[in-house]
Amino acid sequence: MSAPIPVPAPTWPTEFAERYRAAGYWRGETFGGMLRERAGAHPDRIAIVDGDRRWSYADLDERADRLAAGLLARGIGKGDRVVVQLPNVAEFFAVVFALFRIGALPVFALPAHRETEIAYFCAFTEAVAYVIPDVSEGFDHRALASRVRADLPALKHVLVVGDPGEHTALADIERDPVQLTDPPGPGELAFLQLSGGSTGVPKLIPRTHDDYIYSLRGSNEICAVDADSVYLCALPAAHNFPLSSPGTLGALYAGARVVLCPRPTPDVAFALIEREGVTITGVVPPLALAWTEAAERGGFDLSSLRVLLVGGAKFSEEAARRVTPTIGCALQQVFGMAEGLVNYTRLDDPNELIVTSQGRPISPDDEIRIVDDADTELPEGATGHLLTRGPYTIRGYWNAPEHNARSFTEDGFYRTGDVVRRLPSGHLVVEGRAKDQINRGGEKVAAEEVENHILAHPSVHDAAVVAVPDAYLGERTCAYVILRTGAAPLKPVAIRRFVRERGLAGYKVPDHVEFVETFPYTGVGKVSKKDLRAAIVAGLAGAAGSAGAAPGDSPGVVDTPGVVDSTGFVGSTGPADSAEPDGTAH
Ligand code: AMP
Ligand code: DBH
């Protein structure tokens, strides 16, 4: 077992930590302890439903113990990083609770991540293990693991749920439970969550037991989750929204039941809602649209559902108004971030506030500042940059001092990159975004990350990735590309295929590619994304009839409501996530 590592990230100054403890936010609980308590209090209650499998709290507790013993026996221990990339299967919870118990840190990869991202997470965190399914959605994770492992001597273990191939079956490492000698304390790190980010590589978010559990308790109270609740995990379980708002971990904290949904299409999700008596779930806006349309068609009994949370990207007022009349449950908007701050509309808020705002913070001690470009606080009600600090918002990314200097103020406020305005009630309205990110129906794409991959193409001189408005996803990505002088002309599909073959998650492959001669530049010579976006909007206005299409793209391939790709959040993408149609569509 490796020695405990220091926390390589800034943490809360003592005076804040003391305040948060004194206020009763941080109660000294850990995830390992929480599961043990629930299993002791009601061993036979069902904790996890995955298809035909039903694990009680006692089952989950025992599996976590057996896996914890197995991990320790393999030399994995406190402070070690373990990249976990699992779809919505029960083993996800056995693995993460085993890691929580021994103080090893899950690094939460998404099922959609591919070789480039996985290799980066493993290398950057010096991960000792990588946990995967055998094949998921037609993709063989074992082959990816073999390739990644070849270059990473620190990555000693690949643990597979299912047929292990050349690796180790997760089921084979289980051992009889052992007494833990050095379980993690409540103030220690529990896991590393991923940021959507706006930089060249994703950033890692260090969350502690105490701070995260506080956000769960707060979320449960706000969303009325109690032991009788049934939470449907419709989004990828590793994402912060379905994990914690109030999510699967909130539900388990409450002693409630988690139902795992293998894909969020209305037919699959609605059948589970009906069969399992689901009371609460959370989705991104494009799914909420698909669900409202499907609910109007009828055919399922959704009467058990009390609350639908919608967040991850801006939910339009028009769409928000349709939720309760069609699905028959309450709507809660949620505006959150893996870095911390989570805002909810309250169940007893007036309807107008629920449909027009993105909610207010969980905690009375969530500090909100709305500032101009010079960090000067704006008058109440003005629109500006959202900065925040509080009892479950990180003070810095993991092992990223340079990012931290940019992403946090000197007094510890996180620069969210969101542009908001605050209503007299304290509710926030998200008006836009200042960070260089595309929010593709809740899936975040850092422009710089994709640009760097496009720039690696030998024919490319420069690239700029921006958002284009889209009726279904809210935004899609458009890559503007300048070819090198003398380079042979390329088709858009060549760039898309190039990015895909570099091993990036499908949702990061540009939806559109546009070749141009030059970019609009700002006064200081930076590419003006603002002008690029304006050019797109102008192009859209001219391209009447091809809803959502960027100039130059063939209409019809972009507007694909109803297409849902379970490896991603949503509705991915038609072309971006299917096999490249070899130039026929683009
Ligand atoms: P991440 O940092 O990857 O966890 O993504 C969090 C970001 O998602 C926020 O900073 C917002 O930009 C965006 N976001 C989340 N929920 C909402 C929402 N309800 N409305 C608008 N944007 C949202
Ligand atoms: O988008 C997000 O990251 C998000 C949305 C809603 C989130 O992290 C959350 C709730 O906790």
Side-chain angles (χ1 to χ4, degrees):
M1 194 195 310
S2 49
I5 50 155
V7 179
T11 184
W12 294 268
T14 311
E15 77 214 70
F16 284 85
E18 280 170 1
R19 183 144 68 82
Y20 297 152
R21 275 190 209 101
Y25 306 143
W26 296 357
R27 294 193 183 163
E29 294 170 290
T30 63
F31 284 103
M34 151 203 148
L35 176 59
R36 182 76 84 236
E37 272 180 30
R38 302 298 174 273
H42 42 71
D44 299 328
R45 284 185 79 109
I46 300 299
I48 308 278
V49 177
D50 171 3
D52 295 335
R53 296 191 292 169
R54 286 168 185 271
W55 288 2
S56 67
Y57 274 86
D59 291 337
L60 178 59
D61 186 49
E62 190 194 336
R63 280 170 200 272
D65 265 353
R66 296 184 62 80
L67 271 179
L71 292 165
L72 289 170
R74 301 229 157 205
I76 300 169
K78 198 169 190 184
D80 285 337
R81 275 77 62 203
V82 174
V83 175
V84 178
Q85 185 185 30
L86 289 175
N88 291 1
V89 292
E91 286 81 1
F92 175 88
F93 296 94
V95 169
V96 302
F97 275 97
L99 294 169
F100 290 157
R101 282 223 161 120
I102 64 176
L105 308 179
V107 180
F108 285 124
L110 294 171
H113 286 134
R114 291 294 175 260
E115 195 164 334
T116 297
E117 289 108 347
I118 297 298
Y120 173 76
F121 300 146
C122 290
F124 183 69
T125 66
E126 299 175 47
V128 298
Y130 174 36
V131 187
I132 52 171
D134 45 15
V135 176
S136 179
E137 301 295 324
F139 183 80
D140 191 335
H141 289 261
R142 296 164 303 188
L144 185 156
S146 301
R147 294 195 296 275
V148 167
R149 195 179 179 179
D151 298 330
L152 293 171
L155 186 62
K156 294 205 187 68
H157 311 276
V158 174
L159 304 173
V160 185
V161 175
D163 172 4
E166 65 176 80
H167 307 291
T168 306
L170 184 77
D172 284 350
I173 74 162
E174 289 186 17
R175 294 277 182 285
D176 287 338
V178 293
Q179 185 69 39
L180 299 177
T181 50
D182 187 22
E188 291 188 74
L189 291 188
F191 57 83
L192 298 175
Q193 185 54 280
L194 303 184
S195 161
S198 53
T199 53
V201 288
K203 287 170 284 181
L204 295 168
I205 297 167
R207 302 291 300 258
T208 64
H209 295 260
D210 253 344
D211 91 75
Y212 210 66
I213 289 176
Y214 170 48
S215 82
L216 302 180
R217 212 173 39 242
S219 296
N220 281 350
E221 200 180 316
I222 291 165
C223 305
V225 168
D226 61 24
D228 295 325
S229 299
V230 181
Y231 178 84
L232 182 78
C233 180
L235 296 170
H239 190 273
N240 200 62
F241 174 14
L243 196 63
S244 68
S245 297
T248 56
L249 294 182
L252 294 174
Y253 185 85
R257 181 176 301 192
V258 170
V259 176
L260 295 173
C261 189
R263 65 180 56 81
T265 46
D267 53 336
V268 176
F270 287 7
L272 280 172
I273 292 171
E274 182 175 308
R275 188 184 90 184
E276 300 294 334
V278 168
T279 63
I280 176 167
T281 184
V283 294
V284 288
L287 281 175
L289 285 176
W291 284 25
T292 33
E293 275 169 27
E296 271 170 351
R297 292 194 293 273
F300 291 95
D301 177 5
L302 304 179
S303 58
S304 61
L305 194 66
R306 286 188 305 96
V307 176
L308 179 68
L309 291 141
V310 181
K314 178 83 183 245
F315 197 33
S316 77
E317 179 185 330
E318 191 198 1
R321 284 192 192 281
R322 292 177 55 199
V323 169
T324 301
T326 56
I327 304 185
C329 64
L331 165 69
Q332 262 187 306
Q333 294 210 42
V334 50
F335 160 42
M337 51 207 75
E339 286 82 354
L341 180 71
V342 181
N343 304 275
Y344 293 98
T345 57
R346 302 309 200 253
L347 289 167
D348 59 359
D349 278 340
N351 191 54
E352 281 311 294
L353 207 47
I354 292 172
V355 297
T356 58
S357 89
Q358 279 63 58
R360 62 183 172 80
I362 292 177
S363 176
D365 268 301
D366 280 321
E367 298 173 71
I368 299 290
R369 268 195 210 153
I370 297 171
V371 302
D372 65 13
D373 289 343
D375 276 357
T376 307
E377 203 136 347
L378 290 167
E380 199 52 50
T383 298
H385 301 284
L386 169 64
L387 312 183
T388 186
R389 186 169 80 171
Y392 60 98
T393 296
I394 57 165
R395 292 302 188 106
Y397 292 102
W398 194 78
N399 205 356
E402 277 156 36
H403 289 316
N404 289 341
R406 280 197 298 275
S407 300
F408 294 81
T409 64
E410 274 184 13
D411 53 354
F413 279 77
Y414 168 54
R415 299 181 188 278
T416 65
D418 294 312
V419 173
V420 305
R421 122 183 108 78
R422 184 164 45 192
L423 303 174
S425 60
H427 289 58
L428 302 175
V429 178
V430 179
E431 296 284 9
R433 188 166 61 237
K435 56 192 163 190
D436 199 3
Q437 184 185 76
I438 296 93
N439 190 334
R440 205 172 166 285
E443 280 175 320
K444 318 303 188 310
V445 180
E448 189 186 321
E449 185 183 358
V450 181
E451 287 160 5
N452 287 342
H453 286 283
I454 299 174
L455 284 169
H457 192 290
S459 300
V460 169
H461 167 70
D462 206 355
V465 174
V466 297
V468 296
D470 179 80
Y472 174 53
L473 286 182
E475 296 176 6
R476 284 183 196 254
T477 50
C478 181
Y480 280 77
V481 176
I482 303 176
L483 292 177
R484 284 188 199 279
T485 325
L490 289 179
K491 283 187 174 170
V493 69
I495 297 293
R496 292 167 41 80
R497 190 188 294 128
F498 180 77
V499 172
R500 176 182 301 282
E501 285 174 359
R502 287 176 65 82
L504 276 196
Y507 65 84
K508 296 181 190 169
V509 175
D511 293 300
H512 313 286
V513 178
E514 190 74 15
F515 295 102
V516 292
E517 297 292 319
T518 182
F519 293 148
Y521 289 95
T522 64
V524 290
K526 278 173 52 173
V527 173
S528 169
K529 298 232 166 154
K530 202 168 139 221
D531 290 346
L532 269 182
R533 279 184 218 112
I536 292 162
V537 172
L540 277 177
S546 60
D553 261 308
S554 47
V557 295
V558 288
D559 199 19
T560 54
V563 178
V564 175
D565 169 8
S566 60
T567 62
F569 250 42
V570 229
S572 256
T573 65
D577 277 282
S578 53
E580 216 45 88
D582 237 334
T584 48
H586 278 223

